[in-house]
Structure formats: structure tokens, C-alpha cells
Amino acid sequence: MKVALWILIFLATFCFMEFMAWFTHKYVMHGFLWSLHKDHHKKDHDSWFERNDAFFIFYAVVSMTLFYLGSYTSFWYGWPLGFGILAYGIAYFTVHDIFIHQRFKIFRNANNWYAKGVRRAHKIHHKHLGKEDGECFGMLVVPFKYFKKK
């Protein structure tokens, strides 16, 4: 029973992180922490790293804190929560930084319906260089209209 609950918590956390990514992107990154995110929309530096990468660090610290709590306290569900956040972070990094923005030159030829839809939605998001008038703030789940053939 505990294994099933562990898996359920892990999967629920992974799914909830898509909402957290959307919410954080829309209201924090395009809000009061735009100063960290704006270099992702309009590159104003020569570095491979972006100020925007600080958001990965925040979620990594949350995940590591949950692992710590799961190891050293009776908060056993820190493990599935931490792994859910970690798994979402890996998925987000793979889709956003590797596949879409090609920070590493792999997955260049992915051309299935999902890849095209996610890429199209992200392109629409990046057509806005400022913090206002943004659209399509999700990453792994984007509106169905981006999956339709043109």
C-alpha cells in the first residue's frame, strides 16, 4: 500500500509542477522577477548561462530540502514529493532547454505532433519581448490549438 501511495504522490507532484511552472512563469517570471527572466526573451549577454537559470536553482533547493526531510525526519513523503519535482525539472529542462532552445545540440530532428505543438506554442510565447502581452506560459501541456495542422 505504501508503494502505491508513494507512486501516487510522485505522479501527482509531477503533474502539479506543470501548474506551478505555468503560474510561476506567468505571475513571477513575467511579474516581479522579470529582471531575472528578461534575458531569456531578449538575450543581452554573451554567456551560455542566463539569469533565468536561477529559477531552476530554486526548484532544485525545494527538491533537495524534501529529500533531506524524507531522510532525517518522519516526513517520509518528502521522497516522492522531491522526486516528483526532480522528474518534472528533468522533463522541463529536456523539452525547454535542450529540445526547444537547443542549449545542447540533440533532439534536433524530433518532428512528431507533440514536438511540433510544443515548439509552436513556445515560439508564440517568445514573439513577445516584453513582460506584458505574453501568452502560452505552460511547458509540457499547451493549448490544443498549437497541435492542429496549419
Side-chain angles (χ1 to χ4, degrees):
M1 181 64 169
K2 192 171 182 178
V3 172
L5 184 57
W6 201 101
I7 292 169
L8 183 66
I9 292 169
F10 167 81
L11 291 173
T13 302
F14 183 92
C15 293
F16 182 72
M17 285 304 296
E18 176 66 12
F19 166 76
M20 285 303 300
W22 171 86
F23 181 88
T24 304
H25 193 178
K26 183 169 184 166
Y27 295 108
V28 177
M29 295 177 179
H30 282 256
F32 66 95
L33 287 180
W34 174 250
S35 60
L36 291 177
H37 185 62
K38 68 181 175 184
D39 70 336
H40 181 65
H41 282 265
K42 187 173 184 183
K43 196 164 180 162
D44 61 356
H45 56 85
D46 293 327
S47 175
W48 185 82
F49 291 101
E50 299 175 346
R51 290 180 297 273
N52 184 62
D53 295 334
F55 294 104
F56 282 117
I57 295 167
F58 170 78
Y59 283 110
V61 169
V62 171
S63 182
M64 289 186 293
T65 300
L66 289 164
F67 290 144
Y68 176 83
L69 292 172
S71 296
Y72 297 106
T73 71
S74 61
F75 190 74
W76 65 266
Y77 39 94
W79 282 103
L81 289 167
F83 274 115
I85 294 169
L86 172 63
Y88 185 83
I90 291 168
Y92 187 102
F93 181 78
T94 301
V95 171
H96 182 262
D97 288 84
I98 297 176
F99 171 65
I100 293 173
H101 288 291
Q102 290 291 301
R103 285 177 93 173
F104 298 100
K105 306 300 181 200
I106 55 177
F107 303 128
R108 291 178 141 182
N109 298 325
N111 242 356
N112 61 56
W113 70 271
Y114 178 76
K116 288 178 183 178
V118 169
R119 191 183 296 128
R120 191 176 296 127
H122 203 72
K123 190 174 189 172
I124 293 298
H125 177 75
H126 275 270
K127 79 177 184 179
H128 303 285
L129 298 179
K131 75 181 204 175
E132 291 85 19
D133 302 321
E135 56 187 293
C136 206
F137 292 95
M139 177 50 52
L140 302 179
V141 179
V142 298
F144 184 71
K145 66 182 181 181
Y146 297 109
F147 295 104
K148 294 179 182 175
K149 292 188 180 203
K150 290 188 174 198

